[in-house]
Amino acid sequence: MPTGFEIGPLTIRFYGVIIMVGALAAAWLATVEARRRGENPELVWDGLVWALIGGIIGARIWHILTPPPSSVDIGVTTMYYLTHPLDAVAIWKGGLGIPGAVIGGVLALYLFCRRKKLDFLLWVDIATPALALGQAIGRWGNFVNQELYGYPSDLPWAIKIDPQYRLPGFEDQETFHPLFLYESLWNLGIVIILLWIGRKYEKRLFPGDIFLVYLILYPLGRFLLEFLRIDQAVIAGINANQALMAVIAVLAGGLLLWRHMRKSAELQQQEVE
């Protein structure tokens, strides 16, 4: 399967094209949400550049700090990247990490909102369904690169991985769980749920609630999918991504519950008075 094409001296990789398509689709959805909330949709395109830069930097840093076993086995460790800065910035070598992309993108959005004097919690809610859509589309870049697959499988939807892309210990296997597809579908479901919640319960939501729901749903799916993943990033014997997802989901769920319980208690107190 080709991974790109050439235009003169330039090599255009399908992975990058898919990421950009995902980013543009996400920006379009964010403009729809901004307009629905009475905000200026043009601000989305201004913030997109910030979010992309922050997301890419965060994703690369996450990969550098949590390299998968397949990279460690060939000597590409965190220390390797720290001593080879040119390889560290070569995002086409090694990959990107979604948790870091989310962290970096949200931090960039916060800085953008500070600069433009915008309500961060409002705009992070606007951006969140778009983020999930961008992830859903972007995951197909893993299909092109024949990566992010799970344990061997003979299910009808299992995907064939060419020999050169098979992980050590699985060279004699041909078909595997398409984790990229599972996560893509999960993210599409999140988009639908977030848009529905934002409309159905609009008057009951606090600014930032949509983002908190995302921080419950996405980590839950990622936590479960990590059980099928072969190439897990392990730190001190613990699956780093899975552990982080569990912590984020619990914290986000607790914060969401606390916010609404506190508001309910305040309303009850007012009724008593």
Side-chain angles (χ1 to χ4, degrees), residues 15-59:
Y15 182 87
V17 173
I18 292 171
I19 293 296
M20 287 307 303
V21 170
L24 293 175
W28 168 80
L29 181 57
T31 63
V32 173
E33 279 295 282
R35 189 176 291 109
R36 184 180 72 84
R37 292 169 178 262
E39 300 295 325
N40 181 6
E42 293 302 318
L43 288 170
V44 172
W45 300 104
D46 295 336
L48 177 62
V49 177
W50 289 64
L52 280 176
I53 294 175
I56 291 173
I57 292 175

Side-chain angles (χ1 to χ4, degrees), residues 55-67:
I56 291 173
I57 292 175
R60 187 57 176 174
I61 291 175
W62 185 263
H63 171 79
I64 290 172
L65 295 178
T66 61

Side-chain angles (χ1 to χ4, degrees), residues 26-48 51 105-131 206-212:
W28 168 80
L29 181 57
T31 63
V32 173
E33 279 295 282
R35 189 176 291 109
R36 184 180 72 84
R37 292 169 178 262
E39 300 295 325
N40 181 6
E42 293 302 318
L43 288 170
V44 172
W45 300 104
D46 295 336
L48 177 62
V106 170
L107 178 59
L109 176 61
Y110 173 76
L111 295 175
F112 174 76
C113 289
R114 285 286 301 273
R115 182 180 179 87
K116 296 291 185 177
K117 295 181 172 58
L118 302 172
D119 184 340
F120 169 69
L121 291 180
L122 169 64
W123 277 93
V124 79
D125 277 349
I126 291 173
T128 297
L131 167 63
F206 300 146
D209 276 356
I210 294 295
F211 183 54
L212 287 175

Side-chain angles (χ1 to χ4, degrees), residues 195-231:
L195 293 177
W196 177 75
I197 289 176
R199 287 157 174 77
K200 178 72 173 180
Y201 301 102
E202 183 173 11
K203 294 182 179 180
R204 296 171 57 184
L205 295 174
F206 300 146
D209 276 356
I210 294 295
F211 183 54
L212 287 175
V213 174
Y214 166 85
L215 290 180
I216 297 170
L217 294 178
Y218 175 72
L220 174 61
R222 183 65 182 268
F223 179 87
L224 296 174
L225 290 177
E226 283 291 324
F227 286 112
L228 294 176
R229 188 167 183 168
I230 302 173
D231 205 18

Side-chain angles (χ1 to χ4, degrees), residues 2-13:
T3 59
F5 58 93
E6 294 183 355
I7 301 179
L10 297 177
T11 299
I12 307 298
R13 300 185 183 276

